[in-house]
């Protein structure tokens, strides 16, 4: 097993390496790949020194699996080259997610759709992953009609420069402005670029990706995505209308048994999901379960996950592990 991590020096790339170690993903050779400005740098990982290589060299090495976290432009250009060389690419960018010929995979939901000829596999958006994982067991039981979601997203979703901006503002220092406004002690209802319909690209990702993952274009989704000055994970307020009615106790039972989901729903004792507690965890945390009393068959829920883990690195490594376990690589 020859494994490549493309974008190994970035926030998500570093998290991928940590998850590989945590999950004891087996490989014989590891290639750490980054942009030209990082080529030749040394990284010590699991007690061994690795030299960063460039994309050309990585393609020539023909890795069995290449986990990409290097941005959409890099993925559009290089993922096909890796695939042509015989690699399976698991891509964290948005480049391939809505390509009708590429699978968009959350392993607990739809990994069974993967086939040996899937050479480029898309990792969904971080905010989409945690929402659909929490909703999947409920969708199977009651059928989702409509989702209204508002997100409260960590600065880590933007990258290291955004973390630096927030911490500099917190400490009264000058910093590069990644956001159009101050982020510390502020809330920005603006993630990614605005589209002609008034939604941001991030909001449209959630809308389109949810339908694709569930394989159902009839599910209605509307989203408002918001950046808040926290690290550790993304939080979401999800209002979901089902075709069938539900009992709250049954909902709790379904969520408590769902793979990758942790139920934290004891508000009387101040137990509910928070990004502080989700940090460095692989699971999706769900709580604040209650009926929407304004209309029938509708549930309110609060969903939290570490966006760098299950929202990116963990999901990608789980896809890789599924490929290995099912002899698809």
């Amino acid at each position: 097993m020859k494994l490549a991590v493309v974008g190994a020096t970035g926030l998500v790339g570093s998290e991928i390496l940590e998850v590989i170690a945590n999950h004891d993903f087996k490989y014989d050779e590891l290639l750490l790949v980054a942009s030209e400005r990082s080529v030749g740098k040394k990284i010590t990982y699991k007690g061994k020194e690795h030299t960063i290589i460039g994309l050309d060299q990585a393609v020539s090495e023909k890795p069995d699996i290449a986990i990409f976290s290097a941005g959409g432009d890099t993925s559009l250009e290089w993922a096909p080259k890796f695939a042509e060389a015989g690699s399976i690419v698991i891509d964290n960018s948005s480049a391939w997610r809505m390509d009708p010929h590429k699978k968009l995979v959350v392993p607990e939901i739809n990994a069974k759709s993967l086939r040996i000829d899937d050479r480029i596999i898309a990792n969904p958006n971080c905010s989409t992953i945690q929402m659909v994982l929490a909703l999947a067991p409920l969708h199977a039981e009651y059928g989702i009609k409509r989702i209204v979601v508002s997100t409260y997203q960590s600065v880590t979703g933007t990258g290291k420069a955004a973390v630096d901006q927030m911490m500099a503002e917190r400490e009264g220092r000058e910093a590069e402005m990644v956001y159009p406004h101050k982020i510390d002690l502020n809330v920005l209802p603006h993630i990614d670029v605005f589209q002609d319909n008034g939604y941001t690209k991030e909001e449209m990702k959630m809308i389109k990706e949810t339908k694709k993952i569930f394989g159902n274009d009839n599910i209605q989704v509307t989203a408002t995505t918001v950046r808040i000055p926290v690290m550790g994970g993304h939080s979401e307020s999800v209002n979901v209308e089902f075709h069938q009615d539900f009992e709250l106790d049954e909902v709790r039972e379904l969520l408590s048994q769902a793979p990758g989901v942790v139920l934290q729903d004891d508000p009387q004792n101040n137990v509910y999901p928070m990004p502080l507690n989700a940090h460095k965890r692989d699971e999706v945390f769900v709580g604040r379960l209650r009926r929407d009393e304004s209309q029938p068959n509708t549930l309110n829920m609060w969903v939290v996950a570490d966006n760098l883990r299950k929202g990116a690195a963990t999901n990608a490594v789980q896809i890789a592990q599924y490929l290995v376990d099912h002899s698809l690589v």
Side-chain angles (χ1 to χ4, degrees), residues 196-211:
D196 290 342
N197 63 357
Y199 286 77
T200 64
K201 190 175 178 182
E202 180 85 355
E203 289 158 356
M204 294 310 298
K205 287 176 191 174
M206 293 193 75
I207 292 166
K208 294 175 180 178
E209 291 175 23
T210 298
K211 295 172 185 252

Side-chain angles (χ1 to χ4, degrees), residues 38-265:
S38 296
V39 170
K41 291 182 179 178
K42 308 288 186 181
I43 290 180
T44 300
Y45 175 66
K46 294 175 70 173
K48 180 180 177 182
E49 187 175 74
H50 296 264
T51 301
I52 299 292
I53 63 173
L55 286 154
D56 275 317
Q57 183 179 342
V59 170
S60 69
E61 294 277 354
K62 298 182 178 181
D64 297 288
I65 295 175
I67 302 178
F68 269 54
S69 186
D73 291 341
T74 299
S75 293
L76 284 172
E77 179 181 357
W78 287 94
K81 295 178 181 179
F82 277 80
E84 288 166 13
S87 304
I88 297 177
V89 174
I90 302 168
D91 182 45
N92 265 303
S93 80
S94 61
W96 304 99
R97 290 174 188 160
M98 297 314 300
D99 186 319
H101 305 294
K102 304 293 186 290
K103 306 284 175 59
L104 185 63
V105 175
V106 178
E108 296 91 338
I109 299 174
N110 60 350
K112 290 181 180 178
S113 69
L114 290 172
R115 300 293 179 263
I116 200 161
D117 58 347
D118 288 317
R119 311 313 291 182
I120 299 176
I121 301 165
N123 217 36
N125 186 44
C126 49
S127 49
T128 305
I129 288 174
Q130 67 185 72
M131 182 177 76
V132 297
L133 190 59
L135 290 177
L138 308 182
H139 178 50
E141 189 70 21
Y142 311 116
I144 293 173
K145 182 177 181 181
R146 182 172 187 255
I147 302 166
V148 181
V149 55
S150 298
T151 72
Y152 307 73
Q153 295 182 221
S154 164
V155 293
T156 57
T158 311
K160 182 179 183 298
V163 176
D164 292 344
Q165 177 186 332
M166 184 182 76
M167 297 311 294
E169 290 169 351
R170 191 160 292 182
E171 295 165 10
R173 295 183 287 106
E174 291 292 323
E176 176 192 354
M177 290 292 290
V178 178
Y179 300 119
H181 303 282
K182 181 181 176 182
I183 183 62
D184 194 39
L185 298 176
N186 199 16
V187 169
L188 302 181
H190 175 187
I191 298 180
D192 215 319
V193 296
F194 284 100
Q195 309 290 285
D196 290 342
N197 63 357
Y199 286 77
T200 64
K201 190 175 178 182
E202 180 85 355
E203 289 158 356
M204 294 310 298
K205 287 176 191 174
M206 293 193 75
I207 292 166
K208 294 175 180 178
E209 291 175 23
T210 298
K211 295 172 185 252
K212 183 173 180 178
I213 292 166
F214 284 140
N216 187 338
D217 284 336
N218 293 322
I219 295 174
Q220 299 301 300
V221 186
T222 188
T224 301
T225 58
V226 179
R227 189 73 67 191
I228 63 172
V230 302
M231 294 189 290
H234 293 348
S235 305
E236 298 173 348
S237 171
V238 181
N239 177 275
V240 53
E241 180 184 0
F242 298 106
H243 289 287
Q244 307 295 326
D245 200 7
F246 57 86
E247 295 294 336
L248 277 174
D249 286 344
E250 187 176 47
V251 167
R252 291 187 182 96
E253 183 65 20
L254 288 168
L255 290 169
S256 68
Q257 295 178 2
V261 173
V262 174
L263 183 65
Q264 293 182 329
D265 189 45

